[in-house]
Amino acid sequence: TVYNHKNALRRLLLFCTEERIGFVWELFNQRFEERFTAWMQDKGYAANTIASQYSIMKIWLAEAEDNGISFDKHYHKWTTKSRDVENIYLTEEEIERIYSLNLDSEDLGQQIDPRQKIEITRDMFIVACWTGLRFGDWKDLSEVEINEARLTVHTHKTNKTVVIPVHPIVKEIYDKYGGKFPKVVDKAHALKHIRQCARWAGINTPVSLSRVEGGKTIVKTGIKADFVMNHTARRSFATNMYLKGIEPISIMAITGHTTQANFMKYIKLDSEAHAKIVERAFTQ
């Protein structure tokens, strides 16, 4: 996305500034990858962020090469392979607990400022849990209408149109706002709202997740609510539909995944959950 490309350019410019290197075509020589990778690792960037950085820059340099600009062609050898990252998903029961929160209740222990739009964020996150949409698509569904119990959404990232059956809760939220979906706050505030709602809902199962940061494997522990992301809604949809026995190809038609390999990265099940799926098949 444009957002990703701007971030990649920002990192590259910061690298050049801090390392006192000229931002010129000669920058991309045989030593560049080693130096830039070391710099990003020192900054604590995750392995997948580093891989994405090189993937984006290869697009730029391929375009430059096509336009006859001369520079070292070593960039063709840059590593752009990402790693699987551990993430969580929310069960249907946990999604229901978040949706059932009474945000006007004094039991939450604090007064909620309606200007913060926490309830709107919570409601639209729940919509995403039942539609599988990315944040870039569910943050503003205000122009999308429900027709014949379906949503037709043109997705920004993949530039594809998906048709999504409307879950009763999605229709309930749609009707709550007068037959339309409300607009959500920006990404950072939305994440803050969602995690707070998850804490209020008691999503406090202990969780340990590992990921590579700065070239090292880091294990982070905490309650499940603190690992909820905006993208958790999409993973939850894919995983819960998979658990219901829906064929991956049908779920992919809604999520917009083009390969089953990429889709399966969204299925966040442990070994016990997979065993239960097989056991259920034995009894059918």
Side-chain angles (χ1 to χ4, degrees):
T1 65
V2 172
Y3 174 84
N4 298 130
H5 279 255
K6 286 182 176 179
N7 266 348
L9 179 58
R10 177 185 57 78
R11 289 188 201 101
L12 180 58
L13 289 172
L14 182 60
F15 164 72
C16 290
T17 299
E18 292 190 357
E19 297 296 312
R20 299 181 180 180
I21 301 173
F23 189 54
V24 294
W25 293 110
E26 288 74 20
L27 167 68
F28 305 108
N29 55 32
Q30 292 188 19
R31 289 197 58 215
F32 172 77
E33 183 181 13
E34 179 183 350
R35 294 182 65 184
F36 192 31
T37 298
W39 180 85
M40 286 190 285
Q41 289 178 342
D42 287 342
K43 292 289 184 182
Y45 287 113
N48 283 354
T49 301
I50 295 174
S52 175
Q53 177 76 30
Y54 284 115
S55 180
I56 290 171
M57 292 193 303
K58 286 180 80 170
I59 295 173
W60 302 341
L61 297 182
E63 180 74 12
E65 189 174 355
D66 287 345
N67 281 275
I69 298 174
S70 180
F71 54 92
D72 192 291
K73 301 301 186 289
H74 192 75
Y75 81 91
H76 289 289
K77 299 180 181 179
W78 289 350
T79 300
T80 58
K81 185 177 181 180
S82 61
R83 306 184 184 191
D84 288 344
V85 178
E86 289 188 317
N87 288 294
I88 63 161
Y89 83 100
L90 296 174
T91 66
E92 291 190 35
E93 186 269 339
E94 289 169 333
I95 294 169
E96 176 60 32
R97 277 157 57 188
I98 294 173
Y99 182 52
S100 298
L101 276 174
N102 180 3
L103 297 178
D104 295 326
S105 173
E106 295 181 358
D107 294 339
L108 299 181
Q110 67 181 67
Q111 184 69 32
I112 298 176
D113 187 343
R115 292 174 298 179
Q116 292 181 343
K117 300 183 178 180
I118 291 179
E119 185 169 358
I120 287 176
T121 305
R122 185 275 308 272
D123 289 347
M124 292 306 294
F125 178 76
I126 298 300
V127 167
C129 286
W130 290 112
T131 59
L133 290 171
R134 298 177 180 86
F135 178 80
D137 297 314
W138 64 261
K139 72 180 178 65
D140 185 10
L141 285 175
S142 58
E143 302 300 321
V144 178
E145 297 180 351
I146 293 177
N147 291 311
E148 297 181 356
R150 292 178 180 176
L151 284 175
T152 301
V153 182
H154 188 79
T155 59
H156 292 88
K157 182 175 181 178
T158 58
N159 198 30
K160 289 184 177 182
T161 298
V162 295
V163 178
I164 307 170
V166 173
H167 189 278
I169 290 179
V170 174
K171 181 63 164 60
E172 190 174 291
I173 293 172
Y174 180 78
D175 292 341
K176 173 181 176 179
Y177 293 94
K180 64 178 181 180
F181 293 110
K183 291 186 178 181
V184 180
V185 295
D186 63 87
K187 196 171 187 178
H189 283 91
L191 176 58
K192 182 179 178 181
H193 292 172
I194 292 164
R195 284 185 175 174
Q196 184 60 69
C197 287
R199 294 186 196 104
W200 284 332
I203 313 300
N204 53 17
T205 305
V207 171
S208 294
L209 299 180
S210 64
R211 62 184 62 207
V212 178
E213 294 182 3
K216 299 179 181 178
T217 299
I218 305 296
V219 178
K220 294 186 177 182
T221 60
I223 62 171
K224 193 173 183 179
D226 291 339
F227 290 97
V228 172
M229 306 291 290
N230 295 323
H231 213 61
T232 299
R234 182 167 164 82
R235 295 190 191 97
S236 299
F237 172 82
T239 303
N240 287 322
M241 294 303 102
Y242 183 81
L243 285 171
K244 285 180 176 294
I246 299 175
E247 289 293 331
I249 191 170
S250 296
I251 307 173
M252 289 166 60
I254 294 175
T255 60
H257 285 100
T258 55
T259 68
Q260 190 159 331
N262 282 334
F263 167 74
M264 291 305 295
K265 293 177 182 179
Y266 277 70
I267 306 304
K268 300 301 176 181
L269 302 180
D270 56 24
S271 56
E272 182 177 349
H274 281 295
K276 288 181 179 179
I277 292 174
V278 175
E279 288 170 353
R280 187 168 64 240
F282 289 164
T283 60
Q284 290 178 349

